[in-house]
Amino acid sequence: MMPPEQEMGITGKSPIVPGSSRLEDGMSEQVQATIARCSILRGSLRPVTLKFEDVAYTIKLPTTRGNCFGSTDSKPDRVVLSGVSGIVQPGELLAMLGPSGSGKTTLLTALAGRLPGKISGSITYNGQPFSGSIKRKTGFLTQDDVLYPHLTVLETLTYTALLRLPNKLTRAEKVEQAELVILELGLTRCRNSIVGGVLLRGLSGGERKRVSIGQEMLVNPSLLLLDEPTSGLDSTTAQRIVATLQGLARGGRTVVTTIHQPSSRLYWMFDKLVVLTDGHPIYSGTASRVMEYFGSIGYVPRMDLVNPADFLLDLANGVGPDMKQGDRYDNHGRSESDDQNSIKKLLISSYKKNLNDNLKAEIRGNYGDQNTSLPPTSYSKVSGSEQQWNTTWCEQLKVLFVRGLKERRHESYSGLRVFQALSVSILSGLLWWHSDPSHVQDQVGLLFFFSTFWGFFPMFNAIFAFPQERAMLIKERSSGMYRLSSYYFARTAGDLPMELVLPTIFVAITYWMGGLKPFPINFVLTLLTILYNVLVSQGLGLALGAVLMEVKQATTLASVLMLVFLLAGGYYIQHIPPFIAWIKYCSFSYYCYKLLIGIQYTDNDYYECGEFGRHHCKTLEFPGIKHLGPNNIGFDVAALGVMLVGYRFMAYVALRIRQH
């Protein structure tokens, strides 16, 4: 059985990295040729030295309103980070330690250039501020694995390669890049397995984490930032992940990771440490000297302590090696929290006194800027000249379209949705089985059912689109993978073949079973009207989901809107009071219903009326039809067209606003 390091594609002293000459023992010549070729395609790494000095970040807490005296209570701003400094060079693995809420993730996000708001202090990359070129050479991995569950490992990495790698590479070369990453990260055995998720069985937690790392490795990043990559993994899998990161660092990359509570084996893999408590640093420097430092200021670990990380986390929580936890008060009447706060303050002051000045001297010692103060950090949007997309708009549209079809076909053609559409179509066909044309009210009811059912169904399905993909959209857009417009058009275009099939089958079944006009032209026009209505309804659902980005709120608002549209649709109420009659002009169901009536009945259609059906009356004079005015077909088509474009434009604008 291979050791974990070899199983992961890392051979200890000489890991497999781009440009490495030593390969895994027993590797075939074909695999060696693939690695050599893809290594050339990737190009050489551009080492990045990351320096951050006196980084501070503060958030404003919301003001409390409405106390007993009618005044407002202003809360003090919360300090998330304060005076954090450090330096990590190519080939080094830096770990950020600290309890929950200490600011690790905030600091990591700031280093990745993705933290909103104003950041004081300085963060530089090879002595330069954050820029578009740095962004494209930086890999950022969030704590949660944001992956499409129905795609395989190979598909996931291939689509990422097609979007993130530059146009100078051919499609075949980009696929080779994905194959190389699969080989490097030890994912060969599961390359054709679906990723899976909470409700879908797929990869293990460690394999999903490696796939997420692989997505960032595709661009051959010089700087790799990871947020708790071992969270939720067992110790063996966690060791494999950290061994992978160590191997990537030894290949010339700068690797920074947050980690919550590493084992002793993981701890000794780190080159440098930053230890935080309540946003303040208590140590920043070489990992091998951390115990010596804390011993020098009077905090010596117990003799039975095996894991140094436990000792550091205790200190970050304000727990000294000689404190007895569990007692609320000590012999002097001080509470345990008072002792913890005093220890934290002492550690913070010791850091400022003993480490801060030397660390700043080391930071400013590079690039000859000892006598210059570093500029404050600000993350303005990358300018158009800096933002160079790796692929063209059309290529992004094509890749996103195909990827969306592969991922969402399982949901759109799920057995439950197909059963729902077929069962309702057959049931409604049986209820209106060969309805008599003289029973105008029954046929009008069927047409109104068409307009309402295919108004509710697609709208509520579309509401989930953007809220469910929000995490993926944020992740990929933050990496500069594609334009928002290409994503939006690919998303909406990809829904067409999936969202229009079920209504077509529905109408094909119910129309002929329901006894409506048995002419092909009437059937085709009815089908086109229903599909038109589906697109408008879907657009409203997309707009609600994009504006609110919260499923419960969106579905509640959609229920209210559809109830209003249903009541004002022209079937239940024929004489709406003038002061509220305008509501019907906002209802797409109203226009769809009018179009269906106009398609089904003309001036040449009559029905039996009067006592015992002795007379023939024009169908368009039927009370339930006459008040609609179904002859104005052009206006109805135009009104639905305005809604179709307006709703989808509203959805795009809402997504664009949320990106800023």
Side-chain angles (χ1 to χ4, degrees):
M1 183 175 179
M2 292 187 301
E5 291 77 6
Q6 290 186 2
E7 183 180 349
M8 293 293 296
I10 297 172
T11 56
K13 296 182 180 179
S14 301
I16 297 177
V17 294
S20 176
S21 60
R22 187 174 186 269
L23 302 174
E24 193 172 1
D25 295 337
M27 190 176 291
S28 67
E29 293 182 0
Q30 182 179 2
V31 173
Q32 294 183 25
T34 301
I35 288 185
R37 173 175 170 77
C38 292
S39 298
I40 295 174
L41 292 175
R42 281 183 171 187
S44 59
L45 279 172
R46 296 181 179 178
V48 172
T49 297
L50 173 63
K51 302 185 297 179
F52 47 101
E53 180 179 348
D54 287 336
V55 174
Y57 183 66
T58 304
I59 59 175
K60 292 184 178 296
L61 298 177
T63 302
T64 305
R65 297 181 178 273
N67 59 18
C68 299
F69 303 98
S71 60
T72 59
D73 297 332
S74 59
K75 296 182 179 179
D77 295 342
R78 180 187 173 190
V79 177
V80 183
L81 294 173
S82 178
V84 186
S85 302
I87 180 172
V88 54
Q89 299 177 350
E92 294 180 337
L93 172 59
L94 180 143
M96 300 179 187
L97 288 175
S100 299
S102 60
K104 303 187 301 295
T105 299
T106 303
L107 177 58
L108 189 77
T109 308
L111 298 180
R114 305 188 184 193
L115 191 63
K118 185 178 181 180
I119 305 170
S120 61
S122 174
I123 303 175
T124 59
Y125 313 79
N126 286 345
Q128 301 298 320
F130 185 78
S131 63
S133 59
I134 292 295
K135 179 179 180 180
R136 287 189 293 274
K137 299 301 294 181
T138 299
F140 181 72
L141 184 65
T142 58
Q143 182 176 350
D144 298 323
D145 299 319
V146 184
L147 301 167
Y148 284 116
H150 292 98
L151 298 181
T152 65
V153 172
L154 179 60
E155 289 173 342
T156 299
L157 295 177
T158 298
Y159 288 130
T160 304
L162 293 175
L163 290 169
R164 295 194 69 174
L165 296 180
N167 273 337
K168 66 181 181 181
L169 301 181
T170 65
R171 183 183 181 90
E173 290 171 340
K174 292 181 180 181
V175 174
E176 282 185 285
Q177 292 276 41
E179 295 279 7
L180 172 63
V181 169
I182 289 175
L183 184 64
E184 282 185 309
L185 298 181
L187 296 169
T188 305
R189 290 182 298 179
C190 58
R191 65 194 300 273
N192 294 318
S193 302
I194 61 172
V195 173
V198 178
L199 302 177
L200 181 67
R201 186 175 181 180
L203 303 180
S204 66
E207 289 169 337
R208 277 199 297 271
K209 186 63 67 176
R210 278 184 276 167
V211 172
S212 298
I213 296 175
Q215 287 186 307
E216 303 303 322
M217 288 301 303
L218 282 167
V219 296
N220 197 23
S222 302
L223 174 62
L224 186 59
L225 306 163
L226 308 98
D227 188 14
E228 299 200 17
T230 62
S231 177
L233 303 179
D234 61 85
S235 59
T236 302
T237 306
Q239 184 184 14
R240 292 179 179 179
I241 295 296
V242 176
T244 302
L245 300 181
Q246 188 183 44
L248 296 176
R250 297 299 182 265
R253 296 178 180 84
T254 303
V255 183
V256 180
T257 180
T258 65
I259 195 161
H260 185 61
Q261 192 154 5
S263 65
S264 58
R265 292 188 298 176
L266 299 188
Y267 175 84
W268 294 114
M269 293 182 182
F270 303 139
D271 300 304
K272 288 186 175 180
L273 288 178
V274 172
V275 186
L276 298 176
T277 177
D278 297 337
H280 298 268
I282 59 174
Y283 183 80
S284 181
T286 307
S288 59
R289 299 185 58 188
V290 63
M291 305 301 284
E292 176 186 349
Y293 164 72
F294 283 110
S296 66
I297 61 174
Y299 292 96
V300 180
R302 300 189 307 270
M303 297 297 295
D304 59 345
L305 183 67
V306 177
N307 186 2
D310 292 339
F311 172 69
L312 297 178
L313 288 173
D314 281 343
L315 291 179
N317 280 299
V319 179
D322 55 348
M323 288 183 62
K324 295 181 179 180
Q325 300 185 53
D327 296 332
R328 224 175 144 183
Y329 296 94
D330 63 9
N331 295 331
H332 301 284
R334 295 178 300 181
S335 66
E336 183 180 338
S337 61
D338 291 338
D339 287 340
Q340 293 175 351
N341 290 332
S342 63
I343 290 178
K344 291 180 182 180
K345 292 179 180 179
L346 179 59
L347 292 173
I348 294 171
S349 63
S350 298
Y351 168 83
K352 293 179 180 179
K353 179 181 179 181
N354 301 314
L355 296 179
N356 194 39
D357 292 340
N358 293 334
L359 182 59
K360 287 185 177 181
E362 180 184 1
I363 292 173
R364 300 184 182 186
N366 293 341
Y367 307 109
D369 56 355
Q370 297 97 321
N371 299 322
T372 60
S373 59
L374 295 171
T377 296
S378 62
Y379 293 124
S380 57
K381 294 295 178 181
V382 178
S383 64
S385 60
E386 289 184 326
Q387 181 62 74
Q388 299 176 358
W389 302 100
N390 291 324
T391 52
T392 63
W393 189 91
C394 292
E395 182 66 20
Q396 293 172 8
L397 178 68
K398 179 182 176 182
V399 174
L400 292 171
F401 177 80
V402 175
R403 186 182 72 171
L405 288 181
K406 282 189 176 253
E407 170 59 26
R408 296 195 301 277
R409 64 185 177 183
H410 305 278
E411 178 184 352
S412 297
Y413 297 133
S414 65
L416 185 60
R417 291 188 65 178
V418 173
F419 170 77
Q420 183 181 15
L422 289 179
S423 60
V424 174
S425 65
I426 294 174
L427 179 60
S428 58
L430 293 175
L431 290 174
W432 274 279
W433 177 260
H434 290 175
S435 59
D436 194 329
S438 62
H439 300 158
V440 180
Q441 185 64 35
D442 290 347
Q443 291 196 340
V444 166
L446 177 58
L447 297 176
F448 185 72
F449 174 71
F450 277 166
S451 67
T452 53
F453 182 77
W454 289 109
F456 275 93
F457 196 62
M459 182 177 69
F460 279 94
N461 288 331
I463 283 174
F464 293 87
F466 295 129
Q468 286 182 341
E469 292 196 359
R470 182 182 183 184
M472 182 65 73
L473 181 60
I474 292 174
K475 170 192 171 184
E476 295 182 337
R477 286 276 295 154
S478 298
S479 300
M481 287 179 62
Y482 47 74
R483 299 170 176 86
L484 180 62
S485 57
S486 61
Y487 163 80
Y488 182 75
F489 281 104
R491 183 67 173 82
T492 53
D495 287 338
L496 296 182
M498 294 185 286
E499 296 297 335
L500 299 182
V501 171
L502 289 181
T504 301
I505 297 174
F506 183 97
V507 175
I509 294 174
T510 310
Y511 186 92
W512 301 108
M513 292 179 66
L516 299 174
K517 274 191 175 179
F519 302 113
I521 185 63
N522 295 94
F523 168 73
V524 171
L525 291 177
T526 299
L527 175 60
L528 292 177
T529 301
I530 295 300
L531 296 182
Y532 197 20
N533 187 59
V534 167
L535 295 178
V536 176
S537 171
Q538 184 190 51
L540 178 57
L542 292 174
L544 292 175
V547 170
L548 298 177
M549 274 298 178
E550 211 286 318
V551 173
K552 289 185 178 180
Q553 294 179 6
T555 52
T556 301
L557 181 57
S559 300
V560 175
L561 288 176
M562 282 307 301
L563 179 61
V564 174
F565 292 168
L566 178 68
L567 295 177
Y571 180 78
Y572 293 108
I573 306 174
Q574 298 181 12
H575 305 287
I576 302 178
F579 69 89
I580 202 173
W582 57 270
I583 291 181
K584 66 182 180 182
Y585 298 111
C586 301
S587 169
F588 57 82
S589 297
Y590 171 73
Y591 296 109
C592 178
Y593 179 45
K594 286 180 63 180
L595 287 173
L596 294 176
I597 293 293
I599 292 169
Q600 198 65 212
Y601 305 110
T602 64
D603 288 333
N604 299 323
D605 292 316
Y606 293 86
Y607 72 99
E608 296 177 356
C609 60
E611 189 176 0
F612 305 112
R614 295 175 181 175
H615 304 284
H616 289 81
C617 302
K618 278 190 174 184
T619 305
L620 293 180
E621 297 296 326
F622 183 76
I625 297 177
K626 183 178 180 181
H627 77 285
L628 290 174
N631 292 324
N632 198 0
I633 292 180
F635 177 79
D636 300 332
V637 173
L640 287 177
V642 171
M643 292 183 180
L644 174 65
V645 176
Y647 289 148
R648 293 175 184 271
F649 180 73
M650 185 190 305
Y652 177 77
V653 171
L655 289 178
R656 174 65 65 184
I657 291 174
R658 287 187 175 274
Q659 294 296 307
H660 295 281

